[in-house]
Amino acid sequence: MSNFFSKAEVTSSGRPVLLRNEVECHLLSAVDLEPEDHRHFSLLKSGLLILTTHRLIWLPSSSASTPISASAIPLAAISHIFSSKKSLKSVFHSPRIRFQVLVSSDGRVFDPGSESGSSSGSGSRSVVVTAVIRGKGDCDGFLVKFWDSWRARAWEAIETSDSGSASASGSGAATGTGGGLYSSDGSVRMVGVAGILRKEQEMWESTDKSLQDAFQDLNALMSKAKEMVMLAEKMRQKLLSGTSSQTSGTNDEDMGSKEEMQDWLLSVGIISPVTKESAGALYHQQLSRQLADFVRIPLERAGGMINLIDAYCLFNRARGTELISPDDMLQVCSLWEKFDVPVMLRKFDSGVMVIQNKSHSDEEVFARIKSLVTKPEALLTGISPTDAAMTLGIAPAMAKEHLLTAEIKGLLCRDISPDGFRFYINLFPEIDPCNMYFVKNYGICSTWIKAVSTTG
Amino acid sequence: MQKLGDFKLPHFFNYPPYFTLQPVRETREKQIQLWKELILDYCRTQKIFVIRLEEEFPLFSNSVIERTLSHEAREAFLSALVAEGRAEWLDKGRRNCLILWHRIQEWADIIVNFVKDNGFEDSVMTVEEIRLGIESRGTELQGIDRTILVRALKLLEHKGKLAIFKGTSTDDEGVKFSV
């Protein structure tokens, strides 16, 4: 049985890959998607239904063993949404959302993105799809947002902002002009009952209009925000292509400021923050996955380990608005244990919490520390957290945690003096208290003695 | 090899972490062991019987690597000796420590041998004579700490090997052996 729906791409953490300008609006869990024609196409059972400005995305739940992967229905392919009928029957059943989708010649959902000629698909028959909501989500709220998104036709908005397409469905589009919905033709005489009714009607209409206008502003603001982010993306692309094409003619200062620019732009990179509104009870889950995606790049730059507090600041900066609380951050990181994400939260004995790659190996770090601390210089004067930081390519605070852990494991010893806090290779295990003056010819002790004696 | 006076120091005396009290249990235990042995060795060869924590003690500093044991470290190592019965605190404030590089019983045995070797089995001697007399020259008893000597004598008295009595002059006590 093949898939009725189009394929949707997902990231390594199970989050959908969004299109340009696509923003998430709402989420429902435990949703079945049933195409009308059961016989030829498979049912999608118990997944996550995500409404965006461009599509309906269905993600399989992690426990599902269906061979069907993430699917999507472009909103452009939807021809009609049925309003919910409240009948006696609906009280006992799980709520349902039904809508009509255009299908192409092979009987599957018409995907306007894949077919270049719109003529081949449009106008052909439509099929009813039912979404059965078995979870506890806000079904009515979802339906309202569904209508809004569908009517807004965000996929038709052209990049170069001023979309002159004043679509027939007035609300939600990027047009900021105050063209009212209700154009009045000349004045109307207010006489009698009809006049009173008319007056009331007009008052209602003007209230409605000012509400519309207010929301237009908000929409306009949001579209401007989108523009800003687009601009930031463009600049980042330029910078990226700029730095790669530069030859050795660039001086250090240039490179430094370019990197700064990159950093700054990276921090405004998220277009579609997961908010409590759009995800409801699944807020933490989705946030958890989004964080896992986001933290990948900062982790790489920090050498595989980043302080939890630093990650928190970076993440909130990128979100811009809809900031998350420290509590949320902690919860979200602890959720990682339950998912298959490539990162993990780790707490050191000192209480410091960091985010590190699951692939991070303590053994490997210790091997590097050991080789650093047995170099002739280090045998004489030991190493400081800063020395370790430079060798390991991580922040000094992180390096110190590693050194302390190595000390606990018996690899290193500390030396506290007016010179500061330093670490040496641990020689104690090699010394025999019953035979203190004896030194083996091999082993770290003799290496140390040689290093010490050559400097006199 | 470095020396402190004529005392040969082990190589790890120049290892800076040796002078910092280690927090990791296993490492610390080893460190304490090494310091205990070193202290006993040094005191034995230099005939030092008391260590005063607030004074400078040559063994606790190394000018070559510019490190000194902290007060906390000194107390830790000496306390370990006390726990083992190789030292005793002389005061409650733990500022002065009596080092027993021979245990009291060992001193007692040394005294008995001394008496036998010199044929003092039925003689009488003063405590000072035991410490500083001609006979004790060249023996371990020479210059022994008075407190330790008296303790050893008292132990022997308890075993009936001698009797201690007050001398004619006010200062010294006498010992009659009956070994």
Side-chain angles (χ1 to χ4, degrees):
Chain A
M1 291 241 268
S2 55
N3 192 1
F4 176 73
F5 306 98
S6 323
K7 192 157 163 30
E9 274 183 69
V10 273
T11 67
S12 56
S13 310
R15 288 265 309 146
V17 174
L18 298 180
L19 307 168
R20 253 190 124 95
N21 298 327
E22 189 178 6
V23 179
E24 289 175 42
C25 303
H26 210 76
L27 249 175
L28 285 176
S29 61
V31 175
D32 296 346
L33 275 186
E34 299 173 2
E36 197 179 301
D37 184 2
H38 296 322
R39 291 168 293 134
H40 292 125
F41 298 109
S42 27
L43 251 53
L44 299 184
K45 272 197 154 339
S46 200
L48 198 63
L49 189 66
I50 302 177
L51 170 72
T52 73
T53 47
H54 291 52
R55 300 179 285 173
L56 264 181
I57 305 177
W58 184 90
L59 298 176
S61 63
S62 40
S63 54
S65 52
T66 61
I68 307 241
S69 52
S71 309
I73 304 166
L75 293 184
I78 294 181
S79 53
H80 182 63
I81 302 177
F82 294 97
S83 39
S84 58
K85 289 181 293 192
K86 299 269 189 236
S87 64
L88 194 58
K89 216 162 81 163
S90 65
V91 172
F92 296 106
H93 282 186
S94 306
R96 284 158 159 71
I97 295 179
R98 294 167 69 238
F99 50 93
Q100 261 183 312
V101 214
L102 294 172
V103 291
S104 50
S105 37
D106 63 355
R108 298 172 66 242
V109 167
F110 168 57
D111 190 348
S114 61
E115 275 147 76
S116 42
S118 56
S119 54
S120 55
S122 62
S124 56
R125 58 191 185 92
S126 18
V127 150
V128 174
V129 175
T130 308
V132 185
I133 292 98
R134 301 192 190 279
K136 288 204 179 76
D138 174 16
C139 194
D140 289 332
F142 187 91
L143 190 57
V144 168
K145 288 248 171 89
F146 190 15
W147 272 98
D148 287 342
S149 294
W150 183 57
R151 281 211 304 246
R153 304 190 80 83
W155 56 90
E156 283 174 9
I158 312 165
E159 273 177 36
T160 51
S161 72
D162 39 78
S163 39
S165 57
S167 333
S169 55
S171 66
T175 53
T177 57
L181 281 181
Y182 312 90
S183 48
S184 49
D185 314 297
S187 59
V188 184
R189 287 173 64 222
M190 310 284 180
V191 213
V193 177
I196 297 171
L197 286 176
R198 175 69 72 145
K199 227 196 240 164
E200 271 198 44
Q201 169 88 344
E202 277 185 19
M203 241 171 47
W204 182 85
E205 281 170 12
S206 77
T207 312
D208 190 43
K209 180 168 155 348
S210 53
L211 273 176
Q212 293 274 2
D213 282 348
F215 278 108
Q216 298 274 37
D217 286 346
L218 198 63
N219 286 331
L221 184 68
M222 281 190 59
S223 72
K224 283 281 177 274
K226 258 187 271 185
E227 277 173 41
M228 290 309 298
V229 173
M230 259 175 15
L231 181 66
E233 260 299 312
K234 271 197 202 135
M235 290 178 74
R236 190 173 93 90
Q237 293 298 335
K238 256 213 183 92
L239 271 180
L240 276 177
S241 57
T243 49
S244 58
S245 60
Q246 295 270 9
T247 52
S248 53
T250 323
N251 59 12
D252 277 12
E253 216 184 277
D254 255 29
M255 290 304 281
S257 64
K258 277 207 166 81
E259 276 203 350
E260 254 181 67
M261 271 294 253
Q262 253 182 308
D263 281 13
W264 179 79
L265 289 176
L266 189 71
S267 70
V268 291
I270 295 188
I271 288 190
S272 171
V274 176
T275 67
K276 275 201 167 86
E277 223 178 70
S278 63
L282 299 166
Y283 176 59
H284 283 123
Q285 274 199 41
Q286 288 301 302
L287 192 60
S288 176
R289 293 190 196 270
Q290 187 177 62
L291 179 64
D293 280 337
F294 170 78
V295 91
R296 207 173 44 86
I297 297 182
L299 253 189
E300 257 177 63
R301 268 125 133 277
M305 186 175 284
I306 185 171
N307 198 320
L308 183 66
I309 297 172
D310 293 341
Y312 173 68
C313 294
L314 285 172
F315 191 50
N316 264 343
R317 258 185 84 202
R319 286 173 69 87
T321 55
E322 306 280 356
L323 307 180
I324 66 170
S325 68
D327 236 8
D328 283 333
M329 184 77 178
L330 262 181
Q331 275 197 45
V332 146
C333 291
S334 344
L335 275 181
W336 281 340
E337 283 173 7
K338 306 211 177 96
F339 305 146
D340 190 21
V341 288
V343 288
M344 56 181 275
L345 183 68
R346 172 185 182 167
K347 187 168 182 177
F348 281 104
D349 288 317
S350 57
V352 168
M353 293 209 270
V354 300
I355 295 176
Q356 69 181 45
N357 280 319
K358 263 196 188 140
S359 59
H360 171 97
S361 151
D362 270 354
E363 262 58 41
E364 197 241 341
V365 173
F366 291 153
R368 286 163 78 187
I369 291 177
K370 185 164 182 190
S371 78
L372 173 66
V373 92
T374 46
K375 289 196 162 54
E377 263 247 359
L379 282 176
L380 277 177
T381 57
I383 57 171
S384 69
T386 321
D387 298 330
M390 290 203 292
T391 306
L392 297 173
I394 59 181
M398 300 292 103
K400 188 165 184 189
E401 292 304 320
H402 281 306
L403 292 177
L404 289 172
T405 312
E407 183 191 35
I408 291 175
K409 286 212 150 50
L411 179 69
L412 302 175
C413 279
R414 64 173 59 183
D415 165 47
I416 300 176
S417 72
D419 294 339
F421 199 132
R422 300 183 79 83
F423 290 90
Y424 287 72
I425 184 95
N426 186 3
L427 294 180
F428 285 111
E430 283 221 8
I431 309 170
D432 178 7
C434 304
N435 207 346
M436 292 195 301
Y437 294 87
F438 172 69
V439 179
K440 297 196 275 255
N441 284 337
Y442 50 91
I444 188 66
C445 242
S446 68
T447 316
W448 179 75
I449 291 177
K450 286 201 192 84
V452 168
S453 53
T454 45
T455 57
Chain B
M1 188 71 66
Q2 212 179 319
K3 285 183 170 201
L4 211 57
D6 57 352
F7 179 72
K8 204 169 79 161
L9 287 165
H11 58 278
F12 55 82
F13 196 71
N14 282 345
Y15 177 57
Y18 189 56
F19 284 82
T20 301
L21 191 59
Q22 296 296 319
V24 176
R25 197 173 57 95
E26 226 181 285
T27 315
R28 180 194 288 228
E29 277 170 10
K30 194 57 169 297
Q31 182 189 30
I32 289 179
Q33 257 194 311
L34 292 174
W35 269 108
K36 282 196 305 194
E37 287 302 318
L38 191 62
I39 292 171
L40 287 178
D41 260 355
Y42 182 70
C43 290
R44 184 187 352 254
T45 55
Q46 310 297 99
K47 290 225 168 188
I48 293 172
F49 297 92
V50 177
I51 295 181
R52 302 186 198 283
L53 262 75
E54 267 145 31
E55 286 175 11
E56 276 228 15
F57 189 61
L59 196 64
F60 291 160
S61 305
N62 184 341
S63 51
V64 172
I65 58 171
E66 292 175 340
R67 297 283 186 275
T68 307
L69 281 182
S70 66
H71 186 98
E72 190 198 351
R74 296 176 195 210
E75 221 194 285
F77 301 138
L78 291 173
S79 299
L81 277 175
V82 171
E84 216 189 311
R86 305 307 297 256
E88 278 176 21
W89 290 112
L90 290 171
D91 60 328
K92 272 216 178 86
R94 296 191 174 197
R95 283 182 299 242
N96 305 298
C97 194
L98 190 69
I99 308 297
L100 300 169
W101 34 271
H102 277 313
R103 295 178 197 275
I104 302 290
Q105 178 58 58
E106 286 162 5
W107 283 117
D109 293 339
I110 290 170
I111 294 170
V112 167
N113 289 334
F114 168 73
V115 165
K116 286 189 177 150
D117 287 347
N118 287 292
F120 289 151
E121 282 88 342
D122 291 311
S123 322
V124 172
M125 282 178 84
T126 66
V127 173
E128 281 304 297
E129 276 175 333
I130 300 174
R131 280 185 75 227
L132 302 169
I134 307 173
E135 292 87 355
S136 56
R137 279 206 204 130
T139 71
E140 293 208 75
L141 287 176
Q142 181 182 14
I144 181 177
D145 180 86
R146 202 191 150 87
T147 319
I148 293 179
L149 179 57
V150 169
R151 292 263 290 272
L153 291 172
K154 286 213 169 109
L155 180 64
L156 287 170
E157 186 183 43
H158 191 71
K159 291 199 176 151
K161 305 270 185 185
L162 51 85
I164 305 172
F165 54 90
K166 272 256 174 277
T168 46
S169 51
T170 43
D171 42 329
D172 209 1
E173 291 163 306
V175 180
K176 172 149 189 354
F177 298 107
S178 46
V179 166

